[in-house]
Amino acid sequence: MEELSKSQRARLAIGTFKTIADALILRGYYKPSGRSGEKLSESLQQFDPEIYGSMSDHRIVELQGLKYVMDRMPRGIEKCNRIILTANEDFHDTSFEKITPLKRRRHSYIVSDKEICFVITRGLTEIYDIMTHITFLNIESQKIHRQICHKEEGTCSEWHDLKSIIQNDT
C-alpha cells in the first residue's frame, strides 16, 4: 500500500479532529486530558498547524504558539477547570466580569475563579477554534510538566531557580 502524502495526512487529521469535536459538541463536555482530549491532541499534532509552531516536537515548549493562543483567549483561562459555551448573551445584565481577549473580539465572562463562559456568535467554527486552542494549551502544559518534574525527585532544580528569580522580581 502506498504511503500517504503530507497533505493527505493533514486532511485526514483535520477530518478526524472535526469528527471528534462534533461528537464532543453533541455530548456537551470533554476533558482535555481524557481519552477524547487525547484523540483531539493526536489529530492536531498530526495536522501540525504552522500557527502553533513546533507543537508536535515533545522536546520543545512552543512559546510563540503559547503567546499566539493566550492573546486570543480570555485572561484567566489557564486557571479554569470548566469552560461554558453559550449561544446568546445571557450574561448581559449580570455582575459577572466581561473579558475580551487582546486579539480576538470574542466576549467571555468570568463566572467564578475556575469557570469562564464564552459567548458563541459565529457558530461551529468558533467552537472548533476554542477547542483547538484548548487542545494546544493542554499539549504544551503536558510538555512543561514533563520538563519540570522528575518522577523520583519531584521538581527539577531549574524550576526552583526560575521560581526564586520570579519571587525576587516581584
Side-chain angles (χ1 to χ4, degrees):
M1 183 171 203
E2 199 174 304
E3 189 161 326
L4 298 175
S5 69
K6 184 175 180 177
S7 64
Q8 288 171 323
R9 286 192 308 271
R11 269 196 307 276
L12 184 62
I14 291 168
T16 301
F17 188 94
K18 185 179 178 309
T19 301
I20 295 168
D22 287 345
L24 294 173
I25 290 166
L26 288 173
R27 185 170 76 181
Y29 69 93
Y30 91 106
K31 296 177 183 177
S33 293
R35 203 172 349 180
S36 299
E38 287 176 9
K39 292 296 180 189
L40 282 178
S41 294
E42 288 171 16
S43 61
L44 188 62
Q45 287 173 320
Q46 279 182 327
F47 174 44
D48 199 19
E50 288 185 28
I51 60 170
Y52 296 136
S54 54
M55 167 191 62
S56 58
D57 189 340
H58 69 279
R59 299 167 298 158
I60 300 171
V61 174
E62 184 48 56
L63 297 177
Q64 291 300 322
L66 284 169
K67 181 179 179 346
Y68 176 86
V69 169
M70 293 309 288
D71 284 348
R72 285 155 180 78
M73 297 297 274
R75 173 183 40 81
I77 190 77
E78 69 281 357
K79 299 175 197 169
C80 290
N81 60 15
R82 185 167 186 219
I83 296 169
I84 304 162
L85 306 177
T86 185
N88 51 7
E89 260 188 79
D90 294 335
F91 295 93
H92 185 63
D93 294 325
T94 65
S95 62
F96 296 127
E97 180 185 353
K98 185 177 183 176
I99 306 169
T100 303
L102 292 173
K103 296 194 177 176
R104 181 81 75 204
R105 299 298 169 227
R106 172 187 299 137
H107 298 301
S108 307
Y109 293 87
I110 296 177
V111 177
S112 72
D113 291 342
K114 302 280 185 190
E115 295 177 300
I116 285 185
C117 179
F118 287 93
V119 178
I120 305 300
T121 58
R122 295 180 196 96
L124 284 176
T125 57
E126 194 168 12
I127 296 172
Y128 296 146
D129 187 52
I130 292 167
M131 290 179 79
T132 304
H133 287 344
I134 290 170
T135 301
F136 172 77
L137 288 174
N138 190 57
I139 290 168
E140 294 305 307
S141 70
Q142 289 175 356
K143 285 188 212 176
I144 292 168
H145 184 263
R146 279 193 303 270
Q147 289 187 16
I148 64 166
C149 291
H150 296 291
K151 291 194 183 339
E152 295 115 22
E153 304 168 22
T155 54
C156 66
S157 60
E158 291 89 350
W159 182 256
H160 293 289
D161 293 344
L162 177 61
K163 186 177 176 182
S164 67
I165 289 169
I166 291 170
Q167 287 174 344
N168 289 336
D169 285 346
T170 57

